[in-house]
Amino acid sequence: MKKILVIGSTGQIGSELTMELRKRYGSDNVVAGYIPGAEPKGELRDSGPSELADVTRPDELSVAIKKHGIDTVYNLAALLSVVAESKPLLAWKIGIDGLLNILELAREHHCAVFTPSSIGSFGISTPHWMTPQDTVQRPRTMYGVTKVTTELLSDYYHTKYGVDTRSVRFPGIISNVTPPGGGTTDYAVDIYYYAVRGEDFVCPIKEGTLMDMMYMPDALNAAITLMEADPAKLVHRNSFNIASMSFGPEEIYNEIRKHKPDFKMTYAVDPLKQSIAESWPDRMDDSCARDEWGWRPTYDLASMTVDMLDKLSARLLK
Ligand code: AKB
């Protein structure tokens, strides 16, 4: 059985990934790594072990890896795109200095490492429609720079030292559990909260701006399936395009209105978010992920909307 450390276990993806990994591999085999001030709470804390695991403190990471006999690390420590623009040095420190600490420990302790990349690793000069797996990556945001560097460093540690590094380029992730903080795609989560609370929504992204998005269950499944994949079949490693749906603000709004006809949305475009959104793909081509490790999403905009509205209504309107 694997022994897994999730770094960033209390964040948007980490909180759900840790619980899903505990379901699949057994609670005692999945350690929730956290930083001071972001300790696990509730079910996350009570259902399994947790450990201090700050990516910027290699000694602390080393203690956690040795104490629990870790062989697989899911490294989710990162700042999202908008926050990274306001704190570029911190984004680098966590995203890249932190990654190097993990890769060095993985080399020493023979751990496999998953560190997500993002649609943010692409830039304005990337082909936007059916963005190929291997293409131009010249982002102009610090988030994008750290994501391209993540891909390159992870591949380097694989080819040079044989560390089993793998990753995906996540689209905007939509979830009804932990809200995101400081991303360009956050509007596609926020809109559901407003709709369920019966409030009008002001969208920061311009009508017609397409971005890849994904429902959390598909995102978790992608990460775990890739880490389970037969290495002999992987031509690529860091990182795979994965896609399930792509839409602009008016499309998600119209989908929600099928269930909440009185819901209203207006626009007040945020220039930073808009310029980041316009530099990202409209839709990625994920055929390499499909061919090399059997990636298949299960949700589209319609089925995700039904589930989001059901789950949020059950929680917020109690
Ligand atoms: C963000 O908007 O920063 C993230 C991402 C797409 O990487 N959700």
Side-chain angles (χ1 to χ4, degrees):
M1 188 55 84
K2 283 182 192 294
K3 282 280 188 182
I4 299 170
L5 172 64
V6 181
I7 295 177
S9 70
T10 59
Q12 188 210 7
I13 300 176
S15 54
E16 289 186 62
L17 180 64
T18 305
M19 296 309 294
E20 184 62 30
L21 289 166
R22 283 182 176 162
K23 241 190 259 163
R24 297 194 195 196
Y25 297 105
S27 290
D28 293 344
N29 296 318
V30 181
V31 179
Y34 64 93
I35 52 171
E39 290 81 5
K41 294 192 178 62
E43 206 192 355
L44 187 61
R45 179 197 53 212
D46 300 339
S47 62
S50 49
E51 204 66 59
L52 270 176
D54 180 339
V55 285
T56 65
R57 301 169 78 107
D59 295 349
E60 197 173 281
L61 287 179
S62 172
V63 169
I65 288 173
K66 283 194 233 153
K67 179 172 163 193
H68 295 276
I70 297 297
D71 56 35
T72 305
V73 177
Y74 284 82
N75 167 28
L76 303 172
L79 299 186
L80 291 184
S81 53
V82 177
V83 192
E85 280 310 282
S86 64
K87 299 177 185 164
L89 296 185
L90 184 62
W92 182 270
K93 187 173 169 196
I94 294 173
I96 302 307
D97 295 343
L99 172 63
L100 264 178
N101 290 334
I102 294 168
L103 290 171
E104 273 300 299
L105 286 164
R107 178 154 88 96
E108 192 185 334
H109 297 284
H110 309 287
C111 301
V113 182
F114 175 89
T115 308
S117 182
S118 155
I119 51 174
S121 68
F122 297 114
I124 203 76
S125 52
T126 301
H128 275 34
W129 187 249
M130 294 307 276
T131 302
Q133 171 65 39
D134 300 307
T135 186
V136 181
Q137 289 181 281
R138 303 285 294 177
R140 292 190 188 153
T141 58
M142 182 48 103
Y143 184 66
V145 170
T146 62
K147 289 303 180 190
V148 176
T149 311
T150 293
E151 296 188 10
L152 293 171
L153 270 177
S154 299
D155 270 348
Y156 181 80
Y157 269 73
H158 174 64
T159 47
K160 177 123 178 138
Y161 302 118
V163 178
D164 186 0
T165 55
R166 309 177 187 193
S167 71
V168 295
R169 295 180 182 132
F170 276 137
I173 307 293
I174 296 168
S175 147
N176 52 65
V177 183
T178 309
T184 305
T185 58
D186 294 8
Y187 91 87
V189 182
D190 297 340
I191 192 171
Y192 287 107
Y193 281 80
Y194 279 76
V196 167
R197 289 193 302 247
E199 295 168 7
D200 295 353
F201 180 64
V202 181
C203 183
I205 300 292
K206 213 186 272 175
E207 183 173 339
T209 310
L210 295 179
M211 284 186 276
D212 278 294
M213 303 279 180
M214 184 171 289
Y215 200 29
M216 185 65 93
D218 280 333
L220 302 182
N221 202 40
I224 298 171
T225 307
L226 174 57
M227 291 309 279
E228 289 284 353
D230 176 357
K233 300 215 168 104
L234 299 181
V235 179
H236 298 86
R237 278 180 170 265
N238 302 282
S239 301
F240 284 94
N241 285 0
I242 51 166
S244 61
M245 62 186 97
S246 156
F247 53 77
E250 68 288 358
E251 289 169 87
I252 188 171
Y253 171 62
N254 288 332
E255 197 57 44
I256 293 172
R257 291 238 309 169
K258 290 182 188 163
H259 307 272
K260 302 217 164 261
D262 295 335
F263 180 47
K264 299 251 171 337
M265 178 173 87
T266 53
Y267 293 91
V269 173
D270 176 313
L272 174 61
K273 288 185 180 172
Q274 185 61 31
S275 73
I276 296 176
E278 284 175 15
S279 74
W280 289 356
D282 293 347
R283 165 118 214 163
M284 288 187 289
D285 173 359
D286 61 0
S287 48
C288 290
R290 289 172 182 266
D291 293 348
E292 293 175 38
W293 50 277
W295 157 244
R296 299 281 182 279
T298 53
Y299 283 91
D300 60 13
L301 178 57
S303 53
M304 174 179 77
T305 297
V306 170
D307 202 56
M308 279 296 284
L309 294 176
D310 279 358
K311 299 253 166 66
L312 284 181
S313 301
R315 205 172 82 226
L316 302 180
L317 306 180
K318 269 199 291 212

